Amino acid sequence: MIFFKKYSLLFLLLLLLFVLDIALGSVFIPIKKIISCFWDSENTTDHIILFDFRLPKALTAVGAGAALAVAGMLMQTFFRNPLAGPYVLGVNAVSSLFVAVFMMSSGALGVFFRAWGVPLVSALGALAGLLLIMLVAKKIYKQAYILLIGMMIGFIAGAWQSVLEYFANAQHLKNFVLWNLASLSYLTQGHLVFFFLILCLCFIACFLLIKSLNALLLGDEQARLLGVNIGFVKNAILVLVAVLSGVTTAYCGPIGFVGLALPHVVRIFLKTTHHLHQLIGNIIGGSCFLLLCDILSNLPFFEAVLPINVITSLFGAPFVLWLLLKKNHS
Amino acid sequence: MQASRCFLYVCFFIFCIACDRIAPQSQKKDSYSLQEIKNEEASFFKIYKEKKAVVLVTYLNVAKTDSVVYVLYPNEKPDFSFQAFYIKTPVRSVACLASVFIGSLANLNVLDCVTAVDNADFIYNADILKKCAVNQIKQVSKTGSLNIEQTLVCKPAVLFTNPGGDTKKDFDERLIKADIIPVVCADYFETSPLARAEWVKALALFFNKEEKADSLFRFIKNRYQTLKHITDTCLNKPTVFTELKTGDVWYVAGSESNMAQMLRDAGAHYVFDDNHQISALSYTIEQVLTRARATQYWLHLHEAETLSDVLKQDARYAVFSAFKNKKLYNNNALQTTAGANAYWEQGLNRPDELLEDLITIFHPSLAPHHPLKYYKQLK
């Protein structure tokens, strides 16, 4: 009953933020007009702004927020480390490096490879980063060392990325820098169908793994005694994290902070470590968080747009700090 | 109180040092008399004549609060009381850190003096490219920032560059110590295309080619004004907007920029004509869509070669009327395989030719036999 109330609250918040994200923007559209746009199929500028720009962006925020939060939750369970996340462990950096190599050498490739190559390469990069961390984790048992090594991998990938940027031609560099700034407005309706299809498949797989994920929290030995196929579950988690963070990074650019912070916020809010509740909480909570960031990045009533990455860190980090301090005091 | 006074003294001290670095000092009343040669259009440089030398003053920012003085002397070095860079003319070796200077020097027939360029990928001129290929001309800024060691090896007498916003960087002490004088040209702050073209006069001073520059600029100006008069009587002013979005931001030329001025001169109505800014402004796609959706013409579409290139960047560009009517014109008709565009190198130095292209686009009946030179229609 308590969870039902909390889910209802989260869901209402999601609805409210979704409506606000569509209603607010750099161009003022009165509420009456917004509502009428849903009934009229008239091809007005307001209609185009709502359906071709604001709605896809809001849906991208919902999908990307959910995907990154769930990926962060899976990594924190996998490493049994509250600081694990695609950004901290260098997974995003390796993924970005793969995309940098691809984008800066893809001039000769055909349109098909340029369009579909980035999501694929980004996911492969995320997988490579995860495998690297996993190899290290097998040899080193101290959690702090794993995090440090993850950060080092991130630095190395970042340095190679800078080397590539230094020697890239102007057009390739521009494309990569823009992608690297991250944005929720790259996806159009066609891309969204594919994006949500992949996300839905990943979330279904996560729901099927809930028992095993709960068992993993007890440690590998205990989980094995409970009948969990550790090897299979760990591989499944790796693939899921790679696909979730890789595809999101490919379509929106590398968005930091969400994967690290949201699982903590959800844990504090729901007061449980059960993965069923955490999964639902992260899906809704991640969506809410990125919708809020998108609203703030568009700075309603101001004629400017801030990069989404700036907002996630600028407003998100103090909020999490406040939550953690509050939890510590209580 | 004591602390605030101390702070004021420190500020004053820093101000004095900063002024001493580049700004002309208060002139001593001596036997030198400087006579200003009035510019016709340009306002970001000034030329003064003196018996023994020519004095060039260039401004480094839009507010004209920073300036730098060059004393160009052909024979005996003068001894003025104000602080300046002294350069013996004609210079035999120059470095060009922007392709627009290559265009100016080509018009002055002094390309042989070029010994260094920033990056051959940005150069359109075939002669310069040939020399770069055999390393006769060095590329000193291939990775974006100036390679000081390579520049010192080339040892050009002057280095033509644009202001980068940081005076300390623009006037690198290591270069000045090696007698390589940075000539910082704020040509892109000029608000009219003719003013920008008039900078050829400033550059000509370094090669003693003042007469050639004067006659060239007179020719360009006369031709530009003749073309402009053709559109003065046009009642129909087609609407136009420019650029594509970069990330989430759509940078739009300010209404006081020389681009906006040229669009007006070509008899078009620039839809972002009300912001009263020289520099580019950032808009969101929603704002651009609201104002420019029904606009007739769309220019300057980055690197796009075809209509499908535009859609590949964002399929939603198709909602603009200009796209539906296929009235998209890009300024990349002449470019090398590396992407160097003649528009930035030659076109900015020949605003009359650019205006002729634009009039052909907006009013085809007024220039029926003119083939487009710098622009092409996307298909």
Side-chain angles (χ1 to χ4, degrees):
Chain A
M1 194 63 189
I2 296 165
F3 286 116
F4 179 74
K5 268 185 186 171
K6 285 184 175 174
Y7 289 149
S8 306
L9 199 69
L10 273 177
F11 194 71
L12 278 176
L13 183 68
L14 177 69
L15 270 181
L16 177 73
L17 289 169
F18 192 81
V19 171
L20 276 176
D21 198 30
I22 291 173
L24 297 172
S26 49
V27 169
F28 175 70
I29 306 174
I31 293 290
K32 267 187 186 175
K33 257 192 173 178
I34 291 175
I35 295 166
S36 70
C37 277
F38 281 90
W39 312 119
D40 301 338
S41 55
E42 210 184 322
N43 202 19
T44 60
T45 303
D46 291 341
H47 192 277
I48 290 169
I49 288 175
L50 279 176
F51 287 95
D52 287 353
F53 292 92
R54 289 191 189 174
L55 198 60
K57 193 152 65 80
L59 288 171
T60 307
V62 169
L68 291 172
V70 170
M73 178 203 78
L74 289 174
M75 284 187 80
Q76 285 171 15
T77 303
F78 183 94
F79 289 103
R80 286 197 296 279
N81 190 321
L83 284 175
Y87 213 77
V88 178
L89 287 177
V91 177
N92 277 4
V94 178
S95 177
S96 289
L97 176 64
F98 271 54
V99 173
V101 172
F102 179 77
M103 284 176 104
M104 288 175 201
S105 58
S106 64
L109 297 173
V111 178
F112 175 82
F113 284 103
R114 264 178 277 166
W116 296 100
V118 174
L120 189 70
V121 167
S122 179
L124 282 175
L127 192 63
L130 276 167
L131 285 173
L132 210 60
I133 290 286
M134 203 177 75
L135 279 175
V136 173
K138 271 189 176 173
K139 305 229 170 194
I140 293 170
Y141 296 99
K142 279 193 176 174
Q143 295 291 338
Y145 278 25
I146 294 172
L147 285 177
L148 267 175
I149 289 166
M151 286 168 80
M152 291 306 125
I153 290 171
F155 282 132
I156 294 166
W160 276 109
Q161 192 181 302
S162 301
V163 171
L164 282 174
E165 286 174 22
Y166 211 65
F167 292 105
N169 84 27
Q171 184 52 37
H172 288 156
L173 180 64
K174 184 184 150 195
N175 289 343
F176 180 70
V177 168
L178 287 177
W179 174 82
N180 215 19
L181 278 176
S183 169
L184 298 173
S185 61
Y186 295 151
L187 276 85
T188 54
Q189 287 161 355
H191 295 121
L192 275 170
V193 175
F194 179 71
F195 184 51
F196 272 90
L197 189 71
I198 291 178
L199 295 192
C200 286
L201 289 174
C202 288
F203 293 151
I204 290 168
C206 288
F207 276 111
L208 295 175
L209 284 175
I210 276 171
K211 268 189 179 174
S212 310
L213 289 170
N214 283 335
L216 270 186
L217 287 178
L218 304 169
D220 287 0
E221 278 308 307
Q222 289 289 335
R224 201 170 281 125
L225 287 173
L226 289 169
V228 174
N229 183 343
I230 298 289
F232 171 77
V233 171
K234 284 197 167 179
N235 286 338
I237 291 176
L238 279 180
V239 172
L240 284 172
V241 171
V243 174
L244 284 171
S245 67
V247 172
T248 309
T249 306
Y251 280 128
C252 310
I255 299 173
F257 189 78
V258 184
L260 170 70
L262 250 292
H264 291 286
V265 178
V266 169
R267 230 170 274 139
I268 291 169
F269 179 69
L270 294 178
K271 291 184 180 129
T272 177
T273 51
H274 194 294
H275 277 83
L276 175 66
H277 300 302
Q278 276 205 56
L279 189 60
I280 298 169
N282 274 299
I283 290 173
I284 307 176
S287 305
C288 287
F289 180 72
L290 221 51
L291 277 170
L292 180 66
C293 290
D294 188 40
I295 292 167
L296 293 170
S297 78
N298 276 296
L299 292 171
F301 316 116
F302 290 95
E303 293 182 345
V305 186
L306 288 173
I308 192 79
N309 250 339
V310 174
I311 301 295
T312 52
S313 305
L314 204 64
F315 293 93
F319 174 68
V320 174
L321 267 177
W322 173 75
L323 266 183
L324 290 173
L325 287 172
K326 200 179 155 199
K327 191 193 171 197
N328 191 38
H329 280 300
S330 63
Chain B
M1 192 64 189
Q2 192 70 24
S4 63
R5 192 176 293 170
C6 205
F7 175 71
L8 280 175
Y9 285 140
V10 171
C11 287
F12 181 70
F13 179 68
I14 292 169
F15 174 75
C16 290
I17 291 174
C19 289
D20 187 53
R21 288 184 63 80
I22 52 160
Q25 300 297 292
S26 58
Q27 293 170 24
K28 239 192 235 169
K29 300 288 175 194
D30 55 25
S31 59
Y32 300 108
S33 66
L34 303 174
Q35 187 200 343
E36 185 180 350
I37 310 291
K38 292 266 184 210
N39 289 332
E40 291 174 55
E41 305 285 337
S43 63
F44 281 85
F45 74 88
K46 282 184 176 179
I47 299 172
Y48 298 90
K49 280 263 181 195
E50 208 279 331
K51 274 181 221 158
K52 288 183 182 174
V54 180
V55 177
L56 171 70
V57 179
T58 66
Y59 292 102
L60 303 176
N61 55 9
V62 181
K64 296 183 185 172
T65 50
D66 265 349
S67 60
V68 62
V69 184
Y70 303 94
V71 175
L72 310 168
Y73 60 96
N75 300 311
E76 190 191 334
K77 188 179 176 183
D79 187 21
F80 295 150
S81 53
F82 52 84
Q83 198 173 30
F85 290 118
Y86 287 79
I87 300 165
K88 185 162 170 55
T89 58
V91 291
R92 301 282 178 214
S93 165
V94 299
C96 296
L97 297 192
S99 63
V100 68
F101 303 126
I102 298 286
S104 301
L105 301 193
N107 289 342
L108 293 170
N109 285 333
V110 290
L111 272 185
D112 287 347
C113 299
V114 178
T115 53
V117 292
D118 53 341
N119 186 342
D121 288 351
F122 304 143
I123 308 285
Y124 182 77
N125 189 290
D127 293 336
I128 298 287
L129 285 178
K130 270 182 207 161
K131 288 183 180 177
C132 286
V134 294
N135 218 17
Q136 210 175 326
I137 290 178
K138 297 270 186 290
Q139 298 175 59
V140 291
S141 185
K142 200 130 173 71
T143 51
S145 56
L146 184 67
N147 186 323
I148 300 285
E149 287 188 14
Q150 277 185 6
T151 313
L152 293 177
V153 172
C154 290
K155 207 168 177 7
V158 294
L159 189 139
F160 292 120
T161 183
N162 292 126
D166 180 359
T167 347
K168 210 172 176 183
K169 223 175 170 184
D170 289 341
F171 295 93
D172 195 299
E173 282 183 5
R174 292 166 293 180
L175 294 176
I176 295 166
K177 246 185 210 172
D179 281 332
I180 299 170
I181 310 298
V183 177
V184 181
C185 307
D187 55 329
Y188 57 78
F189 291 146
E190 299 289 357
T191 54
S192 87
L194 281 175
R196 195 164 186 179
E198 198 174 3
W199 271 81
V200 72
K201 290 182 180 176
L203 267 62
L205 299 174
F206 294 86
F207 307 95
N208 297 343
K209 293 270 186 182
E210 289 96 319
E211 276 180 25
K212 185 160 180 67
D214 283 347
S215 65
L216 176 68
F217 180 68
R218 210 172 305 125
F219 170 77
I220 291 169
K221 188 177 175 181
N222 287 340
R223 196 156 177 270
Y224 187 95
Q225 284 178 335
T226 310
L227 287 164
K228 183 175 172 284
H229 286 314
I230 296 174
T231 62
D232 281 349
T233 51
C234 282
L235 294 174
N236 167 38
K237 300 222 180 268
T239 50
V240 60
F241 72 114
T242 59
E243 303 295 328
L244 295 170
K245 69 186 172 82
T246 306
D248 285 343
V249 182
W250 197 308
Y251 294 101
V252 163
S255 64
E256 304 301 316
S257 66
N258 56 51
M259 182 67 236
Q261 181 61 48
M262 195 178 284
L263 293 173
R264 281 191 290 268
D265 291 344
H269 171 62
Y270 179 46
V271 290
F272 293 96
D273 217 356
D274 54 357
N275 50 52
H276 309 292
Q277 297 286 321
I278 296 173
S279 52
L281 288 120
S282 55
Y283 285 92
T284 62
I285 181 124
E286 292 184 3
Q287 290 166 320
V288 175
L289 193 64
T290 308
R291 294 180 69 167
R293 191 184 158 213
T295 301
Q296 291 163 279
Y297 289 88
W298 190 354
L299 305 181
H300 298 184
L301 301 121
H302 297 187
E303 294 80 19
E305 299 272 358
T306 61
L307 291 173
S308 69
D309 283 349
V310 176
L311 288 187
K312 253 182 247 163
Q313 294 189 37
D314 196 322
R316 294 168 290 193
Y317 286 137
V319 299
F320 286 94
S321 295
F323 189 92
K324 284 178 189 158
N325 300 324
K326 297 181 179 171
K327 296 284 186 189
L328 275 66
Y329 291 84
N330 207 358
N331 55 349
N332 59 354
L334 298 175
Q335 58 177 0
T336 62
T337 46
N341 190 338
Y343 177 90
W344 305 111
E345 187 175 309
Q346 298 171 6
L348 295 181
N349 286 295
R350 290 301 304 268
D352 55 323
E353 291 182 346
L354 293 181
L355 187 67
E356 199 170 15
D357 268 11
L358 290 173
I359 291 172
T360 309
I361 292 168
F362 300 132
H363 305 282
S365 60
L366 295 178
H369 305 298
H370 172 69
L372 294 177
K373 184 175 179 183
Y374 298 101
Y375 286 86
K376 69 175 179 192
Q377 186 170 14
L378 300 192
K379 286 178 179 155

